[in-house]
Amino acid sequence: MQTKAILAQADVTNVLDAAQKEADSNSWPVTIAVTDDGGHLLALRRLDGAAPFSAEVATHKARSAALGRKETQVFEEMINGGRTAFVTAPLQGLLSGGVPITVDGHVVGAVGISGVKPDQDVQVAKAGVAAITG
């Protein structure tokens, strides 16, 4: 039988706080979603000024990153590169801003960010992930 790491509530809080710090330092009104490895929502933080719609988008980005085991930017680039059939995949949030959290080579969860430009969403997500993965 195998064992695996899981996100503890303290980890989730550290991810949220680090992502918010990055967003706040740039005055970016975003929503931060954190999921477990199965894409189930563990926490959601919508910063002041973030559009209500961003809560749904951030959650879907995190879920897609967790289930797809890769950054959602990969999916967006695949679709934009001509593999348009991928839009029929049973995932939503196939836009930049979802980043998996990997520990010892295994995805333990993901962060999804929505509210600003794609590269800015990614920057905030990676700041959150770095808080617990180094």
Side-chain angles (χ1 to χ4, degrees):
M1 181 177 293
Q2 296 181 356
T3 59
K4 67 177 185 176
I6 61 169
L7 293 174
Q9 190 59 54
D11 299 320
V12 174
T13 299
N14 288 338
V15 169
L16 288 169
D17 291 346
Q20 181 172 353
K21 181 178 178 184
E22 182 68 21
D24 286 346
S25 71
N26 289 288
S27 300
W28 292 337
V30 299
T31 295
I32 306 156
V34 180
T35 66
D36 64 12
D37 62 327
H40 304 284
L41 188 64
L42 297 174
L44 181 79
R45 186 179 292 175
R46 192 175 74 166
L47 305 186
D48 291 343
F53 174 73
S54 66
E56 285 291 320
V57 176
T59 300
H60 287 301
K61 288 179 181 183
R63 182 173 190 271
S64 293
L67 294 175
R69 304 296 199 244
K70 57 185 70 175
E71 290 189 33
T72 54
Q73 183 172 347
V74 171
F75 303 127
E76 182 175 8
E77 289 171 354
M78 183 186 323
I79 293 164
N80 290 341
R83 184 139 188 242
T84 56
F86 198 75
V87 298
T88 63
L91 295 172
Q92 295 177 336
L94 301 176
L95 304 167
S96 296
V99 177
I101 302 168
T102 304
V103 174
D104 296 327
H106 298 281
V107 173
V108 298
V111 181
I113 307 295
S114 179
V116 287
K117 295 178 183 178
D119 60 317
Q120 296 167 338
D121 284 346
V122 172
Q123 180 179 328
V124 174
K126 287 184 174 182
V129 170
I132 61 170
T133 62

